Structures are given as C-alpha cells and as structure tokens.
Amino acid sequence: MKRTVKAEIIGVGTELLLGQIANTNAQWISSRLAAQGINVYYHSVVGDNLDRCAAQFRESQHRSDVIIVTGGLGPTEDDMTRDAAKLLFGRELVEDKASMERIESFYDRNNRTMSPNNRRQSLVFRDSIVLQNHEGMAPGMIVHHEGVVWVFLPGVPGEMKHLMENHVLPHFSEQFGLETEIVSEMLRFIGIGESQLEHELYDIIQKQTNPTLAPLASEGEVGLRITAKADSRRTAEKKIKTVKNRILSRVGEFYYGSDEITIQEKVVELLTSNNKTVTAAESLTGGRFIEQIVSIPGASKICHGGVIAYSADMKKEMLKVPSFLIKKYGTVSEECASAMALNAQSLVNSDIAISFTGVAGPETSEGKDPGTVYISLQMGEQEPITKKFQFAGGRETVRTRAVKKGFELLFHNLKKA
C-alpha cells in the first residue's frame, strides 16, 4: 500500500443503540476492508438524531481517510443520514432519476400506491458517485469531501454487501492504489482453554511479527486468528500455512477446523465420513443437542431421532432405566447417564448414543448442586464413556455448556474411531 489508510464505520439507527439488532454490518465491512489492506480505526454508532448525527460526522471528518456510513437512507423522517451529511458538506441534494424510476417501478409491479415520502430515497448529493442499488430502493453514494472519502450505504445487509462488493471496494483499489493483501485464517480448538493454548504456543506468540496471532475465547472453545500481510494473497496464504503447521504440531489434537465451521458441523462431517448414526437421550438439555444436529444440512443421514426424558418416570418408561438404579443412585448420576445412553442406542437402533442428565438450577436436586451434569457416550459395543462436569453460570448457561461439552466429547472420540 502506498500509504496507511485510516477507515471508520458509522452505523446510524437508534435500534442499534437499544440493542434491538446487532451491528453485523460493521463486522462484515471491517473484514472486507482488512482483506484490502485498509485499517479500520473506529466503529461508531449514532441514533436517529440530527444534531448528534451531524456532530459524529464532523468528528469523523477530522480523524479518518475513509468513512463508511450504513443506515438512515430510508423514506421516513427519522432517516436523517443525508440531512446530517448535508450540514457537513454544504451540498445540494438532488433526485437521482434512475433510482426514482426503479422505486416507481417497484410500486407499479406490486400494484401499490407510492406515498410521497418514498421520493426521499432517491436523493443523492450533487456531484457524488451514485451507486445504483439493484437489491433495494435507496442508492448508495460516494462523496469526496476535503480529502476524505465518504461512502453512504443502505442498512439492509444484503443491499449493503452488494454495493460494497460491486462498487465501493473497486473504487478503493483505484483511489488508494492498494498493493497490500491482508489475509486471515481463524483456527478453532475445543477441549483446551485459552490460557493453556497460550502457554503451549508462548514462544510463537511472543515472536510474532508477520503473521500475527490473536487468541479469541468463546463459549466452550477458543479461536486463534492468524493474520498475514503480503504483496499478494498467495504469498500471504503461504505465510499463514507455515505458522499454522507449527501451531498444529503442538496443539493439533484440539483443532477441529478453520474460519466459519462450527463444532456441530465438524461432528456431522465426522459421522458422515465414518458412516455412523447418532442419537441422544436428553434430560436437562431438553432436546438442544438433537436440535443442533438436525439444523445442519445432511443430518438426516446420520440422525434418525432422539429422546427427551425429563422426569424420572419418563426415564423409566421411555428409556427403560431400571427403577432400582434410580432409587439407589438417583437420576443425576453416572449410572443413570450410562443407562440412558445404552438404552437410547438400542431404542433408536443407532451406532452411537449420547446422554445428558443433571441439575440446570437454580435449585439443588437429589442433593446435587446446580451445574452438576453427567454426560455419557455409548460408542458401538464399547464400554460407555461417562463424565461428570460442574458448570458455572445460570440455568441457560449450564444447559448451553452441557450441549457444547457433548459435541466436544463426540469430536474427540470420533477422531479415534
């Protein structure tokens, strides 16, 4: 890159501030800018207020080279992105003929009467670069103002992405003479904590220059992002591969995939490749494990169903857990979990079965504290693998962590199969 380009992303909309929707636009735009070698320095969100929006625009004008604004281009009075930018630019807003024709055509095709305020959506700044929005109504714009490149995009993710990919990113490449490629790969690990992962890779992390490494913990697993800069994507990918191989030589047993893959998808992939079917007997998790399995395309080949047996009676009637076993050990026990998995395997005629029983909380049960969970894995005719866990957190957190731990157990044991 000929020079460092400082970028900023501004989301406009009170709904973002209230947490009614997540600002996924900023996340996506940041990743695409990074791939072009443009550094994002700020993420900002401002509500539907003209004064605050204008104040944010003035502040951004003084600190950034590229400013991408999403949202606030609609037809209603609270869509005030154009009005706030007009206070900064001092430029006239004019109707874009092509956009107006597209808006009118939409209403004609759907036999609807267009309200007058919809004309607002076709307004663009005079002398701006108009980005025709073939996915929606309001066009995007690129405005050059006092050495700063402003980009205005609709807040609808599909429309925003279409305009970014087809118009904005090519404009940036030409405008800034971008020569650096920034490429990232997110390695995903399960069964190892963030602190242990950092310990195992301490010297590699300490000596990082290019590529750089960034550990990122999430619920029940940990990610490690590798980011490389080079003059071409191919060279950057080679740099990543070299470091990735060093990392996996140390902690590869915990690695399940890269980038967007989930542990659920990886487990389904392993079951499919091994030609195995799985079922689950669920108590405290209430069907969440099976729900996550069947939400993945192709799951019908490896999962024929499962059993939710919440009460002790259901465990006895549906899963045939012996009454004497429950009386002696309780439903929250290694013995009950093992029996649930074994009998579910037989009931559904599955190669593998997994069971979940425990105390989600908030009250104790059978003298067991909230967070006490037993998970049993029945692999073919092998002896059951039954583990006890003590999860922290509230009721929903315990249930979520139990399901994630179940996928972890399945993953590590399927690798050995």
Side-chain angles (χ1 to χ4, degrees):
M1 188 185 295
K2 294 179 179 179
R3 66 183 180 89
T4 299
V5 180
K6 295 190 295 185
E8 177 167 353
I9 302 166
I10 304 173
V12 177
T14 301
E15 67 276 9
L16 296 170
L17 292 175
L18 294 177
Q20 294 171 339
I21 63 172
N23 192 11
T24 56
N25 282 346
Q27 179 186 26
W28 186 88
I29 293 171
S30 286
S31 68
R32 295 301 290 116
L33 293 181
Q36 281 207 322
I38 295 177
N39 300 298
V40 177
Y41 281 54
Y42 304 99
H43 279 192
S44 304
V45 176
V46 62
D48 300 313
N49 178 281
L50 182 62
D51 292 338
R52 288 195 289 272
C53 196
Q56 178 62 64
F57 288 179
R58 287 193 296 271
E59 181 180 356
S60 300
Q61 170 72 27
H62 293 301
R63 68 188 184 187
S64 300
D65 303 308
V66 170
I67 301 161
I68 300 177
V69 183
T70 63
L73 300 179
T76 61
E77 288 300 317
D78 62 353
D79 290 309
M80 54 188 58
T81 293
R82 300 181 196 86
D83 298 324
K86 184 178 179 180
L87 295 175
L88 175 65
F89 300 154
R91 294 195 193 187
E92 181 185 6
L93 283 163
V94 296
E95 189 174 281
D96 179 64
K97 183 179 178 181
S99 298
M100 194 63 243
E101 289 176 351
R102 189 170 55 254
I103 294 169
E104 291 173 332
S105 176
F106 169 82
Y107 281 95
D108 288 342
R109 289 195 312 271
N110 290 277
N111 296 315
R112 293 169 56 187
T113 301
M114 186 185 79
S115 58
N117 61 354
N118 276 283
R119 302 193 77 89
R120 282 171 51 87
Q121 294 184 95
S122 69
L123 295 179
V124 297
F125 287 107
R126 186 177 296 279
D127 299 324
S128 66
I129 300 172
V130 180
L131 313 177
Q132 294 300 331
N133 181 4
H134 297 292
E135 302 291 322
M137 294 189 185
M141 290 176 279
I142 298 176
V143 179
H144 291 254
H145 178 68
E146 297 181 356
V148 177
V149 181
W150 285 80
V151 179
F152 298 93
L153 300 171
V156 179
E159 298 177 30
M160 177 276 294
K161 291 176 181 179
H162 170 75
L163 295 178
M164 279 290 296
E165 294 283 11
N166 291 283
H167 301 287
V168 179
L169 295 175
H171 181 82
F172 288 168
S173 292
E174 180 180 348
Q175 174 75 21
F176 300 112
L178 301 175
E179 298 169 353
T180 298
E181 286 280 349
I182 300 180
V183 181
S184 293
E185 181 175 351
M186 177 70 79
L187 309 186
R188 300 193 178 278
F189 302 88
I190 196 162
I192 184 172
E194 183 181 13
S195 58
Q196 185 62 32
L197 183 73
E198 287 192 37
H199 174 74
E200 297 292 339
L201 304 175
Y202 180 80
D203 59 315
I204 300 176
I205 294 173
Q206 287 298 305
K207 295 176 182 177
Q208 62 177 314
T209 52
N210 182 24
T212 59
L213 305 178
L216 300 166
S218 59
E219 187 66 66
E221 56 184 273
V222 62
L224 185 66
R225 187 178 63 233
I226 311 175
T227 303
K229 293 183 180 182
D231 57 3
S232 71
R233 184 174 188 87
R234 183 177 180 182
T235 302
E237 288 175 345
K238 284 183 177 179
K239 289 177 179 287
I240 289 175
K241 185 177 181 180
T242 298
V243 175
K244 178 180 177 180
N245 288 340
R246 289 185 64 197
I247 291 169
L248 297 187
S249 69
R250 299 188 189 183
V251 291
E253 63 183 297
F254 304 104
Y255 169 75
Y256 71 81
S258 292
D259 297 327
E260 301 305 315
I261 191 170
T262 65
I263 187 62
Q264 293 86 348
E265 290 169 333
K266 185 62 179 181
V267 165
V268 170
E269 177 187 306
L270 287 171
L271 287 165
T272 303
S273 63
N274 289 326
N275 196 29
K276 300 293 184 183
T277 56
V278 68
T279 188
E282 302 186 61
S283 182
L284 84 157
T285 51
R288 288 191 180 186
F289 178 87
I290 287 295
E291 192 280 329
Q292 291 185 26
I293 283 280
V294 301
S295 67
I296 298 168
S300 60
K301 297 177 183 178
I302 53 90
C303 181
H304 301 149
V307 178
I308 300 175
Y310 199 59
S311 69
D313 286 342
M314 287 297 99
K315 291 177 177 67
K316 288 186 286 187
E317 292 178 18
M318 296 177 66
L319 290 173
K320 308 303 179 185
V321 178
S323 297
F324 79 86
L325 188 151
I326 292 178
K327 184 175 181 180
K328 182 175 182 179
Y329 300 105
T331 59
V332 184
S333 65
E334 177 182 342
E335 290 77 11
C336 183
S338 300
M340 288 170 64
L342 179 63
N343 293 347
Q345 181 190 43
S346 175
L347 178 66
V348 184
N349 190 26
S350 186
D351 299 308
I352 300 167
I354 188 169
S355 69
F356 302 83
T357 185
V359 187
E363 307 294 332
T364 60
S365 179
E366 299 179 2
K368 305 289 186 5
D369 292 330
T372 304
V373 174
Y374 289 88
I375 303 175
S376 186
L377 191 59
Q378 183 69 48
M379 305 277 291
E381 297 180 359
Q382 301 175 19
E383 288 294 313
I385 302 166
T386 307
K387 305 283 186 178
K388 178 184 179 181
F389 302 95
Q390 191 67 47
F391 297 117
R395 182 178 177 82
E396 289 306 300
T397 300
V398 168
R399 299 175 72 204
T400 298
R401 290 178 174 174
V403 172
K404 178 62 75 70
K405 185 61 69 171
F407 279 104
E408 177 189 323
L409 290 174
L410 254 179
F411 167 68
H412 287 295
N413 283 279
L414 281 169
K415 286 198 305 179
K416 303 173 185 176

